[in-house]
Amino acid sequence: MPELRPGRISRATLALFAGASGDHNPIHIDIDSARASGVDDVFAHGMLLMAYLGRLLTDWIPQGRILELSTRFTAITPVLAEPVLNAQIREIVTVDGEQRANLDLSAVLADGTRTLLGAAVVAW
């Protein structure tokens, strides 16, 4: 499965995602709020990474064939990071006569930090 490289997450990306998602938590868009919370700068919404993950999967397989999707965030994705999203087939199984692929999912930054881990089941 090809990886997804959505590009650098800019401040404009975060502002646009806040508007589109309705998540206006200032820690994602206001550096003063971020610093007041103890971090050096704003960082990406977790759901932005989830949206990229959804794009990775639906670029590869129709949405209706995604049966399960679960993730957990393991680190923040700082502004200006360039995450790379990957999905790898762990195994192919047959359930009630239907072939399914169990996938391992991740988002990784250039320094090797994994910011998201997950799993998906897709009809194969």
Side-chain angles (χ1 to χ4, degrees):
M1 172 182 290
E3 62 190 22
L4 176 68
R5 294 177 178 266
R8 181 172 292 188
I9 297 176
S10 68
R11 294 176 197 285
T13 303
L14 298 179
L16 290 169
F17 186 79
S21 68
D23 181 351
H24 297 281
N25 185 330
I27 201 164
H28 297 298
I29 51 179
D30 177 28
I31 193 169
D32 293 331
S33 292
R35 288 183 176 154
S37 298
V39 292
D40 292 336
D41 204 342
V42 297
F43 55 90
H45 306 72
M47 294 309 290
L48 176 60
L49 272 290
M50 287 282 297
Y52 289 148
L53 189 59
R55 186 192 322 166
L56 171 72
L57 291 174
T58 58
D59 281 353
W60 175 64
I61 195 163
Q63 181 178 352
R65 291 174 51 191
I66 300 171
L67 305 175
E68 296 177 24
L69 175 63
S70 62
T71 62
R72 65 185 173 93
F73 302 104
T74 56
I76 65 169
T77 301
V79 67
L80 305 181
E82 296 184 36
V84 177
L85 294 99
N86 291 289
Q88 295 191 350
I89 297 172
R90 182 177 354 104
E91 65 180 343
I92 304 289
V93 297
T94 301
V95 178
D96 297 329
E98 178 183 61
Q99 271 200 319
R100 296 178 178 180
N102 293 323
L103 309 175
D104 291 324
L105 311 170
S106 67
V108 181
L109 304 181
D111 67 358
T113 302
R114 291 188 186 282
T115 63
L116 178 150
L117 292 173
V121 178
V122 299
W124 192 242

